[in-house]
Short mmCIF file of all heavy atoms in Angstrom, two decimals:
data_model
loop_
_atom_site.label_atom_id
_atom_site.label_comp_id
_atom_site.label_asym_id
_atom_site.label_seq_id
_atom_site.Cartn_x
_atom_site.Cartn_y
_atom_site.Cartn_z
N MET A 1 -48.68 -46.59 112.63
CA MET A 1 -49.85 -46.31 113.43
C MET A 1 -50.92 -47.36 113.14
O MET A 1 -51.11 -47.76 112.00
CB MET A 1 -50.37 -44.91 113.10
CG MET A 1 -51.61 -44.56 113.89
SD MET A 1 -52.31 -42.95 113.49
CE MET A 1 -51.16 -41.90 114.31
N ALA A 2 -51.58 -47.80 114.18
CA ALA A 2 -52.61 -48.82 114.04
C ALA A 2 -53.86 -48.21 113.41
O ALA A 2 -54.21 -47.06 113.67
CB ALA A 2 -52.95 -49.41 115.39
N THR A 3 -54.52 -49.00 112.60
CA THR A 3 -55.76 -48.57 111.95
C THR A 3 -56.95 -49.12 112.72
O THR A 3 -56.79 -50.03 113.56
CB THR A 3 -55.81 -49.11 110.51
OG1 THR A 3 -55.91 -50.54 110.55
CG2 THR A 3 -54.59 -48.69 109.70
N PRO A 4 -58.15 -48.61 112.47
CA PRO A 4 -59.33 -49.18 113.11
C PRO A 4 -59.49 -50.68 112.82
O PRO A 4 -59.90 -51.44 113.68
CB PRO A 4 -60.49 -48.37 112.51
CG PRO A 4 -59.87 -47.05 112.20
CD PRO A 4 -58.47 -47.39 111.73
N GLN A 5 -59.12 -51.09 111.61
CA GLN A 5 -59.21 -52.52 111.27
C GLN A 5 -58.22 -53.33 112.10
O GLN A 5 -58.53 -54.47 112.48
CB GLN A 5 -58.97 -52.74 109.77
CG GLN A 5 -59.17 -54.17 109.33
CD GLN A 5 -60.59 -54.69 109.58
OE1 GLN A 5 -61.56 -53.95 109.58
NE2 GLN A 5 -60.71 -55.97 109.81
N ASP A 6 -57.05 -52.76 112.40
CA ASP A 6 -56.09 -53.44 113.27
C ASP A 6 -56.70 -53.66 114.66
O ASP A 6 -56.53 -54.72 115.27
CB ASP A 6 -54.80 -52.63 113.41
CG ASP A 6 -53.99 -52.56 112.13
OD1 ASP A 6 -54.13 -53.46 111.28
OD2 ASP A 6 -53.23 -51.58 111.99
N ALA A 7 -57.40 -52.64 115.14
CA ALA A 7 -58.04 -52.74 116.46
C ALA A 7 -59.11 -53.83 116.46
O ALA A 7 -59.21 -54.62 117.40
CB ALA A 7 -58.64 -51.40 116.85
N VAL A 8 -59.90 -53.87 115.39
CA VAL A 8 -60.95 -54.90 115.29
C VAL A 8 -60.30 -56.29 115.28
O VAL A 8 -60.77 -57.20 115.97
CB VAL A 8 -61.82 -54.68 114.03
CG1 VAL A 8 -62.69 -55.89 113.72
CG2 VAL A 8 -62.68 -53.44 114.20
N GLN A 9 -59.24 -56.46 114.53
CA GLN A 9 -58.58 -57.77 114.47
C GLN A 9 -58.01 -58.18 115.83
O GLN A 9 -58.07 -59.35 116.21
CB GLN A 9 -57.48 -57.77 113.40
CG GLN A 9 -58.02 -57.72 111.99
CD GLN A 9 -59.01 -58.83 111.69
OE1 GLN A 9 -58.79 -59.99 112.02
NE2 GLN A 9 -60.13 -58.49 111.08
N LEU A 10 -57.48 -57.21 116.57
CA LEU A 10 -56.97 -57.51 117.91
C LEU A 10 -58.11 -57.92 118.84
O LEU A 10 -57.97 -58.89 119.60
CB LEU A 10 -56.24 -56.30 118.48
CG LEU A 10 -55.67 -56.48 119.89
CD1 LEU A 10 -54.70 -57.65 119.96
CD2 LEU A 10 -55.00 -55.20 120.35
N LEU A 11 -59.23 -57.23 118.77
CA LEU A 11 -60.38 -57.59 119.61
C LEU A 11 -60.91 -58.99 119.25
O LEU A 11 -61.28 -59.76 120.13
CB LEU A 11 -61.48 -56.54 119.47
CG LEU A 11 -61.16 -55.18 120.09
CD1 LEU A 11 -62.22 -54.17 119.70
CD2 LEU A 11 -61.04 -55.29 121.60
N ILE A 12 -60.92 -59.31 117.96
CA ILE A 12 -61.35 -60.64 117.53
C ILE A 12 -60.39 -61.70 118.08
O ILE A 12 -60.82 -62.75 118.56
CB ILE A 12 -61.46 -60.71 116.00
CG1 ILE A 12 -62.62 -59.86 115.51
CG2 ILE A 12 -61.61 -62.16 115.52
CD1 ILE A 12 -62.69 -59.67 114.01
N THR A 13 -59.11 -61.42 118.02
CA THR A 13 -58.10 -62.36 118.55
C THR A 13 -58.35 -62.61 120.03
O THR A 13 -58.29 -63.76 120.49
CB THR A 13 -56.68 -61.81 118.32
OG1 THR A 13 -56.48 -61.68 116.91
CG2 THR A 13 -55.63 -62.73 118.90
N ILE A 14 -58.63 -61.57 120.79
CA ILE A 14 -58.89 -61.72 122.22
C ILE A 14 -60.16 -62.53 122.43
O ILE A 14 -60.21 -63.43 123.27
CB ILE A 14 -59.00 -60.34 122.90
CG1 ILE A 14 -57.64 -59.64 122.89
CG2 ILE A 14 -59.53 -60.47 124.32
CD1 ILE A 14 -57.68 -58.18 123.28
N LEU A 15 -61.20 -62.20 121.68
CA LEU A 15 -62.48 -62.90 121.83
C LEU A 15 -62.35 -64.39 121.54
O LEU A 15 -62.97 -65.22 122.21
CB LEU A 15 -63.52 -62.27 120.90
CG LEU A 15 -64.94 -62.81 120.96
CD1 LEU A 15 -65.54 -62.62 122.34
CD2 LEU A 15 -65.81 -62.14 119.91
N GLU A 16 -61.52 -64.75 120.58
CA GLU A 16 -61.37 -66.16 120.19
C GLU A 16 -60.26 -66.89 120.93
O GLU A 16 -60.11 -68.10 120.78
CB GLU A 16 -61.13 -66.23 118.69
CG GLU A 16 -62.32 -65.76 117.88
CD GLU A 16 -62.09 -65.77 116.38
OE1 GLU A 16 -60.93 -65.92 115.95
OE2 GLU A 16 -63.08 -65.62 115.65
N SER A 17 -59.49 -66.18 121.73
CA SER A 17 -58.33 -66.76 122.41
C SER A 17 -58.73 -67.78 123.48
O SER A 17 -59.68 -67.58 124.22
CB SER A 17 -57.50 -65.65 123.07
OG SER A 17 -56.50 -66.22 123.87
N LEU A 18 -57.97 -68.85 123.53
CA LEU A 18 -58.17 -69.84 124.59
C LEU A 18 -57.57 -69.38 125.90
O LEU A 18 -57.92 -69.89 126.97
CB LEU A 18 -57.55 -71.18 124.18
CG LEU A 18 -58.13 -71.84 122.94
CD1 LEU A 18 -57.34 -73.10 122.59
CD2 LEU A 18 -59.60 -72.17 123.14
N ASN A 19 -56.67 -68.41 125.84
CA ASN A 19 -55.97 -67.95 127.03
C ASN A 19 -56.64 -66.76 127.71
O ASN A 19 -56.26 -66.40 128.82
CB ASN A 19 -54.52 -67.57 126.68
CG ASN A 19 -53.75 -68.77 126.19
OD1 ASN A 19 -53.94 -69.88 126.66
ND2 ASN A 19 -52.90 -68.56 125.20
N SER A 20 -57.60 -66.13 127.06
CA SER A 20 -58.28 -64.98 127.64
C SER A 20 -59.42 -65.44 128.53
O SER A 20 -60.16 -66.35 128.17
CB SER A 20 -58.85 -64.07 126.54
OG SER A 20 -57.81 -63.58 125.72
N GLY A 21 -59.56 -64.79 129.67
CA GLY A 21 -60.66 -65.11 130.57
C GLY A 21 -61.96 -64.50 130.10
O GLY A 21 -61.99 -63.65 129.20
N ALA A 22 -63.05 -64.92 130.72
CA ALA A 22 -64.38 -64.45 130.32
C ALA A 22 -64.52 -62.93 130.42
O ALA A 22 -65.09 -62.32 129.50
CB ALA A 22 -65.46 -65.15 131.15
N PRO A 23 -64.03 -62.27 131.47
CA PRO A 23 -64.17 -60.81 131.51
C PRO A 23 -63.45 -60.11 130.35
O PRO A 23 -63.96 -59.14 129.80
CB PRO A 23 -63.55 -60.42 132.86
CG PRO A 23 -63.66 -61.65 133.70
CD PRO A 23 -63.48 -62.78 132.73
N MET A 24 -62.29 -60.61 129.98
CA MET A 24 -61.54 -60.02 128.86
C MET A 24 -62.28 -60.25 127.55
O MET A 24 -62.37 -59.35 126.70
CB MET A 24 -60.13 -60.61 128.79
CG MET A 24 -59.28 -60.00 127.72
SD MET A 24 -58.84 -58.30 128.03
CE MET A 24 -57.56 -58.51 129.23
N LYS A 25 -62.82 -61.45 127.36
CA LYS A 25 -63.58 -61.74 126.15
C LYS A 25 -64.84 -60.91 126.08
O LYS A 25 -65.21 -60.42 125.00
CB LYS A 25 -63.92 -63.23 126.09
CG LYS A 25 -62.72 -64.11 125.85
CD LYS A 25 -63.11 -65.56 125.82
CE LYS A 25 -61.87 -66.41 125.63
NZ LYS A 25 -62.17 -67.83 125.49
N ALA A 26 -65.51 -60.71 127.21
CA ALA A 26 -66.71 -59.89 127.24
C ALA A 26 -66.37 -58.44 126.88
O ALA A 26 -67.11 -57.79 126.13
CB ALA A 26 -67.38 -59.97 128.61
N ALA A 27 -65.26 -57.94 127.38
CA ALA A 27 -64.83 -56.58 127.05
C ALA A 27 -64.48 -56.47 125.57
O ALA A 27 -64.80 -55.45 124.92
CB ALA A 27 -63.64 -56.19 127.91
N ALA A 28 -63.85 -57.49 125.01
CA ALA A 28 -63.53 -57.49 123.58
C ALA A 28 -64.82 -57.49 122.76
O ALA A 28 -64.91 -56.78 121.75
CB ALA A 28 -62.68 -58.71 123.23
N ALA A 29 -65.80 -58.26 123.18
CA ALA A 29 -67.09 -58.27 122.48
C ALA A 29 -67.72 -56.88 122.51
O ALA A 29 -68.23 -56.40 121.49
CB ALA A 29 -68.02 -59.30 123.11
N GLU A 30 -67.67 -56.22 123.66
CA GLU A 30 -68.23 -54.88 123.77
C GLU A 30 -67.52 -53.92 122.80
O GLU A 30 -68.16 -53.12 122.11
CB GLU A 30 -68.09 -54.36 125.19
CG GLU A 30 -68.72 -53.01 125.40
CD GLU A 30 -68.64 -52.53 126.83
OE1 GLU A 30 -68.13 -53.26 127.71
OE2 GLU A 30 -69.08 -51.39 127.07
N GLY A 31 -66.20 -54.02 122.75
CA GLY A 31 -65.44 -53.18 121.83
C GLY A 31 -65.81 -53.44 120.38
O GLY A 31 -65.92 -52.50 119.58
N LEU A 32 -66.03 -54.70 120.04
CA LEU A 32 -66.44 -55.03 118.67
C LEU A 32 -67.81 -54.45 118.35
O LEU A 32 -68.08 -54.05 117.23
CB LEU A 32 -66.43 -56.55 118.47
CG LEU A 32 -65.05 -57.19 118.40
CD1 LEU A 32 -65.16 -58.70 118.48
CD2 LEU A 32 -64.32 -56.77 117.14
N GLY A 33 -68.67 -54.41 119.36
CA GLY A 33 -69.99 -53.81 119.15
C GLY A 33 -69.90 -52.34 118.80
O GLY A 33 -70.62 -51.84 117.94
N TYR A 34 -68.99 -51.65 119.47
CA TYR A 34 -68.80 -50.23 119.17
C TYR A 34 -68.11 -50.04 117.81
O TYR A 34 -68.39 -49.08 117.11
CB TYR A 34 -67.99 -49.54 120.27
CG TYR A 34 -68.80 -49.25 121.50
CD1 TYR A 34 -68.65 -50.01 122.65
CD2 TYR A 34 -69.73 -48.21 121.51
CE1 TYR A 34 -69.41 -49.75 123.78
CE2 TYR A 34 -70.49 -47.95 122.63
CZ TYR A 34 -70.33 -48.71 123.77
OH TYR A 34 -71.08 -48.45 124.87
N ALA A 35 -67.20 -50.93 117.48
CA ALA A 35 -66.46 -50.81 116.22
C ALA A 35 -67.37 -51.07 115.02
O ALA A 35 -67.28 -50.39 114.00
CB ALA A 35 -65.28 -51.78 116.21
N GLY A 36 -68.21 -52.08 115.14
CA GLY A 36 -69.10 -52.43 114.03
C GLY A 36 -68.34 -52.98 112.84
O GLY A 36 -67.15 -53.29 112.92
N GLY A 37 -69.03 -53.14 111.75
CA GLY A 37 -68.43 -53.66 110.53
C GLY A 37 -68.66 -55.15 110.38
O GLY A 37 -69.04 -55.85 111.31
N PHE A 38 -68.41 -55.62 109.17
CA PHE A 38 -68.67 -57.03 108.84
C PHE A 38 -67.86 -57.98 109.70
O PHE A 38 -68.41 -58.94 110.25
CB PHE A 38 -68.38 -57.27 107.35
CG PHE A 38 -68.58 -58.70 106.95
CD1 PHE A 38 -69.85 -59.17 106.67
CD2 PHE A 38 -67.51 -59.59 106.89
CE1 PHE A 38 -70.05 -60.51 106.32
CE2 PHE A 38 -67.71 -60.92 106.55
CZ PHE A 38 -68.98 -61.38 106.27
N ASP A 39 -66.55 -57.76 109.81
CA ASP A 39 -65.70 -58.68 110.57
C ASP A 39 -66.10 -58.73 112.04
O ASP A 39 -66.12 -59.80 112.65
CB ASP A 39 -64.22 -58.28 110.46
CG ASP A 39 -63.66 -58.50 109.06
OD1 ASP A 39 -64.26 -59.29 108.30
OD2 ASP A 39 -62.63 -57.89 108.74
N ALA A 40 -66.42 -57.58 112.61
CA ALA A 40 -66.84 -57.53 114.01
C ALA A 40 -68.14 -58.30 114.20
O ALA A 40 -68.27 -59.10 115.13
CB ALA A 40 -67.00 -56.08 114.46
N ARG A 41 -69.11 -58.06 113.33
CA ARG A 41 -70.40 -58.77 113.45
C ARG A 41 -70.22 -60.27 113.27
O ARG A 41 -70.83 -61.06 114.00
CB ARG A 41 -71.40 -58.21 112.46
CG ARG A 41 -71.91 -56.82 112.85
CD ARG A 41 -73.09 -56.37 112.01
NE ARG A 41 -72.79 -56.29 110.59
CZ ARG A 41 -72.30 -55.21 109.99
NH1 ARG A 41 -72.04 -54.13 110.69
NH2 ARG A 41 -72.05 -55.22 108.69
N ALA A 42 -69.39 -60.69 112.33
CA ALA A 42 -69.16 -62.12 112.12
C ALA A 42 -68.54 -62.77 113.35
O ALA A 42 -68.95 -63.87 113.75
CB ALA A 42 -68.26 -62.34 110.90
N ALA A 43 -67.58 -62.10 113.98
CA ALA A 43 -66.95 -62.64 115.19
C ALA A 43 -67.94 -62.70 116.34
O ALA A 43 -67.93 -63.65 117.13
CB ALA A 43 -65.74 -61.80 115.57
N LEU A 44 -68.80 -61.70 116.45
CA LEU A 44 -69.81 -61.70 117.51
C LEU A 44 -70.83 -62.81 117.32
O LEU A 44 -71.22 -63.47 118.29
CB LEU A 44 -70.50 -60.33 117.58
CG LEU A 44 -69.62 -59.19 118.08
CD1 LEU A 44 -70.30 -57.86 117.84
CD2 LEU A 44 -69.27 -59.38 119.55
N ILE A 45 -71.24 -63.04 116.10
CA ILE A 45 -72.18 -64.14 115.81
C ILE A 45 -71.53 -65.47 116.16
O ILE A 45 -72.15 -66.35 116.77
CB ILE A 45 -72.64 -64.10 114.35
CG1 ILE A 45 -73.54 -62.89 114.13
CG2 ILE A 45 -73.36 -65.40 113.95
CD1 ILE A 45 -73.85 -62.59 112.67
N LYS A 46 -70.27 -65.62 115.80
CA LYS A 46 -69.55 -66.86 116.11
C LYS A 46 -69.48 -67.08 117.62
O LYS A 46 -69.71 -68.19 118.11
CB LYS A 46 -68.15 -66.80 115.51
CG LYS A 46 -67.34 -68.05 115.70
CD LYS A 46 -65.99 -67.91 115.01
CE LYS A 46 -65.11 -69.11 115.28
NZ LYS A 46 -63.78 -68.96 114.68
N ALA A 47 -69.17 -66.02 118.36
CA ALA A 47 -69.09 -66.13 119.82
C ALA A 47 -70.46 -66.42 120.43
O ALA A 47 -70.58 -67.21 121.37
CB ALA A 47 -68.52 -64.84 120.42
N LEU A 48 -71.48 -65.81 119.88
CA LEU A 48 -72.84 -65.99 120.40
C LEU A 48 -73.34 -67.41 120.19
O LEU A 48 -74.04 -67.96 121.05
CB LEU A 48 -73.78 -65.00 119.70
CG LEU A 48 -75.23 -65.00 120.12
CD1 LEU A 48 -75.38 -64.67 121.59
CD2 LEU A 48 -76.01 -64.01 119.28
N THR A 49 -72.97 -68.03 119.09
CA THR A 49 -73.49 -69.35 118.76
C THR A 49 -72.56 -70.48 119.18
O THR A 49 -72.90 -71.65 119.00
CB THR A 49 -73.77 -69.46 117.26
OG1 THR A 49 -72.56 -69.21 116.53
CG2 THR A 49 -74.84 -68.46 116.83
N SER A 50 -71.41 -70.15 119.73
CA SER A 50 -70.46 -71.18 120.13
C SER A 50 -70.85 -71.80 121.47
O SER A 50 -70.98 -71.09 122.47
CB SER A 50 -69.05 -70.59 120.26
OG SER A 50 -68.17 -71.55 120.76
N PRO A 51 -71.02 -73.12 121.51
CA PRO A 51 -71.38 -73.75 122.79
C PRO A 51 -70.23 -73.74 123.80
O PRO A 51 -70.45 -73.98 124.98
CB PRO A 51 -71.73 -75.19 122.37
CG PRO A 51 -71.00 -75.41 121.10
CD PRO A 51 -70.91 -74.07 120.42
N ASN A 52 -69.02 -73.43 123.34
CA ASN A 52 -67.86 -73.42 124.24
C ASN A 52 -67.71 -72.10 124.98
O ASN A 52 -66.85 -71.99 125.84
CB ASN A 52 -66.58 -73.70 123.45
CG ASN A 52 -66.61 -75.07 122.81
OD1 ASN A 52 -67.25 -75.98 123.31
ND2 ASN A 52 -65.94 -75.21 121.69
N ARG A 53 -68.48 -71.10 124.64
CA ARG A 53 -68.39 -69.81 125.31
C ARG A 53 -69.28 -69.82 126.54
O ARG A 53 -70.38 -70.37 126.52
CB ARG A 53 -68.84 -68.68 124.39
CG ARG A 53 -68.05 -68.58 123.12
CD ARG A 53 -66.69 -67.95 123.39
NE ARG A 53 -65.98 -67.77 122.13
CZ ARG A 53 -64.83 -68.36 121.86
NH1 ARG A 53 -64.25 -69.13 122.74
NH2 ARG A 53 -64.24 -68.16 120.72
N GLY A 54 -68.82 -69.19 127.58
CA GLY A 54 -69.62 -69.09 128.79
C GLY A 54 -70.75 -68.10 128.62
O GLY A 54 -70.80 -67.33 127.66
N LEU A 55 -71.66 -68.12 129.57
CA LEU A 55 -72.83 -67.26 129.52
C LEU A 55 -72.43 -65.78 129.48
O LEU A 55 -73.00 -64.99 128.72
CB LEU A 55 -73.73 -67.53 130.72
CG LEU A 55 -75.02 -66.73 130.77
CD1 LEU A 55 -75.88 -67.02 129.56
CD2 LEU A 55 -75.77 -67.04 132.06
N GLU A 56 -71.44 -65.39 130.28
CA GLU A 56 -71.00 -63.99 130.32
C GLU A 56 -70.57 -63.50 128.94
O GLU A 56 -70.92 -62.39 128.51
CB GLU A 56 -69.86 -63.82 131.32
CG GLU A 56 -69.32 -62.41 131.41
CD GLU A 56 -68.17 -62.28 132.40
OE1 GLU A 56 -67.75 -63.28 133.01
OE2 GLU A 56 -67.69 -61.14 132.54
N VAL A 57 -69.83 -64.33 128.24
CA VAL A 57 -69.33 -63.96 126.91
C VAL A 57 -70.47 -63.92 125.90
O VAL A 57 -70.56 -62.99 125.09
CB VAL A 57 -68.21 -64.91 126.45
CG1 VAL A 57 -67.77 -64.59 125.03
CG2 VAL A 57 -67.04 -64.85 127.42
N ARG A 58 -71.35 -64.88 125.95
CA ARG A 58 -72.47 -64.91 125.00
C ARG A 58 -73.42 -63.74 125.21
O ARG A 58 -73.92 -63.15 124.25
CB ARG A 58 -73.20 -66.24 125.06
CG ARG A 58 -72.35 -67.36 124.46
CD ARG A 58 -73.09 -68.65 124.43
NE ARG A 58 -73.60 -68.87 125.79
CZ ARG A 58 -73.98 -70.03 126.27
NH1 ARG A 58 -73.97 -71.08 125.52
NH2 ARG A 58 -74.40 -70.15 127.49
N VAL A 59 -73.68 -63.38 126.47
CA VAL A 59 -74.53 -62.22 126.75
C VAL A 59 -73.88 -60.95 126.22
O VAL A 59 -74.53 -60.11 125.58
CB VAL A 59 -74.84 -62.11 128.26
CG1 VAL A 59 -75.46 -60.77 128.60
CG2 VAL A 59 -75.76 -63.24 128.70
N ALA A 60 -72.58 -60.79 126.48
CA ALA A 60 -71.86 -59.62 125.98
C ALA A 60 -71.88 -59.58 124.45
O ALA A 60 -72.06 -58.51 123.86
CB ALA A 60 -70.42 -59.62 126.50
N ALA A 61 -71.72 -60.74 123.83
CA ALA A 61 -71.74 -60.80 122.36
C ALA A 61 -73.12 -60.42 121.83
O ALA A 61 -73.22 -59.70 120.82
CB ALA A 61 -71.35 -62.20 121.89
N ALA A 62 -74.18 -60.86 122.49
CA ALA A 62 -75.54 -60.53 122.05
C ALA A 62 -75.79 -59.03 122.15
O ALA A 62 -76.33 -58.41 121.22
CB ALA A 62 -76.56 -61.30 122.88
N LYS A 63 -75.40 -58.43 123.26
CA LYS A 63 -75.57 -56.99 123.43
C LYS A 63 -74.75 -56.23 122.39
O LYS A 63 -75.22 -55.26 121.80
CB LYS A 63 -75.15 -56.57 124.83
CG LYS A 63 -76.11 -57.01 125.91
CD LYS A 63 -75.61 -56.56 127.27
CE LYS A 63 -76.53 -57.02 128.38
NZ LYS A 63 -76.03 -56.63 129.71
N ALA A 64 -73.52 -56.66 122.20
CA ALA A 64 -72.63 -56.00 121.24
C ALA A 64 -73.15 -56.14 119.82
O ALA A 64 -73.05 -55.21 119.02
CB ALA A 64 -71.22 -56.57 121.36
N LEU A 65 -73.72 -57.30 119.49
CA LEU A 65 -74.27 -57.51 118.16
C LEU A 65 -75.42 -56.56 117.91
O LEU A 65 -75.58 -56.01 116.81
CB LEU A 65 -74.69 -58.96 117.99
CG LEU A 65 -75.09 -59.40 116.60
CD1 LEU A 65 -73.96 -59.15 115.60
CD2 LEU A 65 -75.45 -60.87 116.60
N GLY A 66 -76.23 -56.34 118.93
CA GLY A 66 -77.32 -55.37 118.80
C GLY A 66 -76.79 -53.98 118.50
O GLY A 66 -77.34 -53.25 117.67
N ARG A 67 -75.72 -53.60 119.16
CA ARG A 67 -75.12 -52.29 118.93
C ARG A 67 -74.50 -52.24 117.52
O ARG A 67 -74.67 -51.27 116.79
CB ARG A 67 -74.06 -52.00 119.96
CG ARG A 67 -73.39 -50.64 119.79
CD ARG A 67 -72.36 -50.35 120.85
NE ARG A 67 -72.87 -50.42 122.20
CZ ARG A 67 -73.62 -49.47 122.79
NH1 ARG A 67 -73.95 -48.41 122.13
NH2 ARG A 67 -74.01 -49.63 124.03
N ALA A 68 -73.77 -53.28 117.14
CA ALA A 68 -73.09 -53.32 115.85
C ALA A 68 -74.09 -53.32 114.69
O ALA A 68 -73.79 -52.79 113.62
CB ALA A 68 -72.17 -54.52 115.77
N ALA A 69 -75.24 -53.89 114.90
CA ALA A 69 -76.24 -53.98 113.84
C ALA A 69 -76.82 -52.62 113.49
O ALA A 69 -77.40 -52.45 112.42
CB ALA A 69 -77.35 -54.93 114.26
N ARG A 70 -76.64 -51.64 114.37
CA ARG A 70 -77.16 -50.30 114.11
C ARG A 70 -76.32 -49.54 113.10
O ARG A 70 -76.70 -48.49 112.64
CB ARG A 70 -77.24 -49.51 115.42
CG ARG A 70 -78.22 -50.08 116.38
CD ARG A 70 -78.29 -49.26 117.64
NE ARG A 70 -78.85 -50.10 118.69
CZ ARG A 70 -78.55 -49.99 119.94
NH1 ARG A 70 -77.69 -49.07 120.35
NH2 ARG A 70 -79.09 -50.78 120.85
N ASP A 71 -75.13 -50.07 112.81
CA ASP A 71 -74.24 -49.39 111.85
C ASP A 71 -74.75 -49.50 110.44
O ASP A 71 -75.32 -50.42 110.02
CB ASP A 71 -72.83 -49.99 111.90
CG ASP A 71 -72.11 -49.66 113.19
OD1 ASP A 71 -72.54 -48.71 113.86
OD2 ASP A 71 -71.14 -50.36 113.48
#
């Protein structure tokens, strides 16, 4: 059975994937915001500050980081 940490790692993989489109990455960022935790916040910060991410992904990462920071 998958653990919550497994889910976080899968969402991080999607967020960092070169093959995932912006809507999928934005959804992964949203999921990480709900999951919270150190790894999720670190991945969101990386996505937010990466110049290679599109605006949709960075906005989703910023919103998700705000949610994750409440944990």
Side-chain angles (χ1 to χ4, degrees):
M1 179 183 285
T3 66
Q5 186 60 29
D6 292 336
V8 167
Q9 290 305 314
L10 179 58
L11 290 171
I12 291 171
T13 298
I14 293 168
L15 183 61
E16 294 178 348
S17 172
L18 298 175
N19 297 324
S20 299
M24 183 68 78
K25 290 179 182 185
E30 183 178 357
L32 288 169
Y34 283 105
F38 178 82
D39 291 340
R41 287 191 300 271
L44 291 169
I45 291 169
K46 183 177 175 183
L48 182 61
T49 59
S50 174
N52 298 332
R53 302 284 184 241
L55 182 61
E56 179 181 2
V57 175
R58 289 184 308 200
V59 167
K63 288 179 181 178
L65 189 57
R67 180 179 303 283
R70 295 181 201 149
D71 290 342

